[in-house]
Amino acid sequence: EDALLVHKGCFLSLPGSESQVYHQDGLHLNKKVHKPCHAVNVFIPLIDYEMSNGPTEFCLGTHYLGRENFVKEMVYTPCVTAGTPIIFDYRLGHRGLKNVSDVTRPVVYLTYSAVKSGKEFRDEVNFSRKRYKKLGDFVEKKLPRGERLKKRRKVNPAASSQEQNACIGVGSVVVVESRMWPGVNKEGGVGRVTNIHIPEGSEAEGFVKKYDITYVLGGKEEMVEEEYVSLSVDE
């Protein structure tokens, strides 16, 4: 079959960036029967991949229908040299690992789609015009603490932030805010609390709780500060 380049660009992993939440770039076009690959990604690192600069981790076999969940034993992280293409099924689960080095990791990505009867697949979710901002204001500025509290109250107006946090315990379903600003790439989402960290001397004014979260769609995050966590409305 013919293949058509449908999406292209470059992404950066800045020094200090945390590991991404495990995800698939695209879901199955048919939810009942496994179909052949309809699109592939090509990642081309512009520097050598090393574990310290946060290469892409893949979960082998997760492109098969019904096998999408993360399985630690199936993880593979190719540490290739600069310019070496990594080609994978658009449905394959993956995530960028944390960058603990002092260099930025740039990667060129290309998405090719199979062409059938003159038609090709295009990702209208990840590449929607509504999702992207004009160059110049693409970096979301971190809101002041007071504004974040106001935003959280809109999620659950029936309770104040303090009341919500007091109700959050191990097992609670919560919403974690997206944190996307220079040096931080954390998507957040809906998850379940697996652990709560309360610092020593918590009777002192101004202490901050931190939570370990397991996300509903896969992936984990540890030590999330309470100001970014709110009780789910459905909880």
Side-chain angles (χ1 to χ4, degrees):
E1 297 177 356
D2 291 333
L4 180 68
L5 178 63
V6 291
H7 304 298
K8 60 184 181 296
C10 179
F11 57 81
L12 305 174
S13 174
L14 302 177
S17 295
E18 295 292 334
S19 295
Q20 285 185 306
V21 174
Y22 169 77
H23 63 282
Q24 296 167 289
D25 286 341
L27 302 179
H28 294 270
L29 301 183
N30 188 310
K31 299 296 180 63
K32 296 181 179 180
V33 180
H34 181 80
K35 294 290 186 178
C37 178
H38 58 272
V40 296
N41 274 336
V42 182
F43 283 4
I44 305 174
L46 301 184
I47 65 171
D48 293 349
Y49 264 0
E50 298 176 356
M51 291 304 297
S52 62
N53 60 30
T56 304
E57 175 187 83
F58 298 92
C59 192
L60 303 182
T62 51
H63 61 295
Y64 285 104
L65 184 64
R67 300 181 184 177
E68 297 88 351
N69 292 334
F70 179 85
V71 179
K72 186 176 181 179
E73 291 72 19
M74 297 301 292
V75 163
Y76 174 61
T77 307
C79 288
V80 299
T81 56
T84 303
I86 301 174
I87 305 173
F88 60 98
D89 192 302
Y90 204 60
R91 301 164 293 184
L92 186 67
H94 62 282
R95 63 173 182 161
L97 298 178
K98 64 174 64 176
N99 185 349
V100 297
S101 72
D102 57 359
V103 298
T104 297
R105 176 175 60 83
V107 179
V108 171
Y109 70 85
L110 308 168
T111 302
Y112 290 90
S113 171
V115 179
K116 295 182 179 180
S117 302
K119 297 181 179 180
E120 73 280 349
F121 163 81
R122 289 183 182 271
D123 191 336
E124 301 296 340
V125 177
N126 290 320
F127 295 93
S128 168
R129 290 182 179 273
K130 296 180 180 179
R131 183 176 180 181
Y132 293 94
K133 301 177 182 179
K134 293 181 179 180
L135 188 65
D137 61 354
F138 65 94
V139 176
E140 181 180 349
K141 295 182 179 179
K142 183 178 180 180
L143 292 174
R145 181 181 176 86
E147 293 299 319
R148 293 198 299 272
L149 293 177
K150 290 180 181 179
K151 182 178 178 181
R152 189 187 306 165
R153 290 191 185 105
K154 291 181 180 180
V155 174
N156 190 353
S160 68
S161 296
Q162 290 183 342
E163 291 171 335
Q164 287 188 43
N165 287 342
C167 295
I168 295 175
V170 173
S172 293
V173 177
V174 296
V175 178
V176 181
E177 292 182 22
S178 170
R179 288 138 293 151
M180 311 287 279
W181 48 77
V184 179
N185 181 22
K186 300 179 180 179
E187 299 176 356
V190 178
R192 190 175 297 276
V193 175
T194 57
N195 192 20
I196 301 176
H197 302 271
I198 301 178
E200 294 183 8
S202 59
E203 67 280 357
E205 185 177 351
F207 80 91
V208 178
K209 287 182 182 178
K210 295 183 179 180
Y211 301 95
D212 294 346
I213 309 291
T214 296
Y215 289 102
V216 173
L217 296 180
K220 298 180 180 181
E221 191 173 347
E222 297 180 348
M223 303 294 285
V224 182
E225 294 185 358
E226 61 178 329
E227 62 183 292
Y228 303 114
V229 180
S230 59
L231 196 64
S232 172
V233 175
D234 296 329
E235 176 72 349

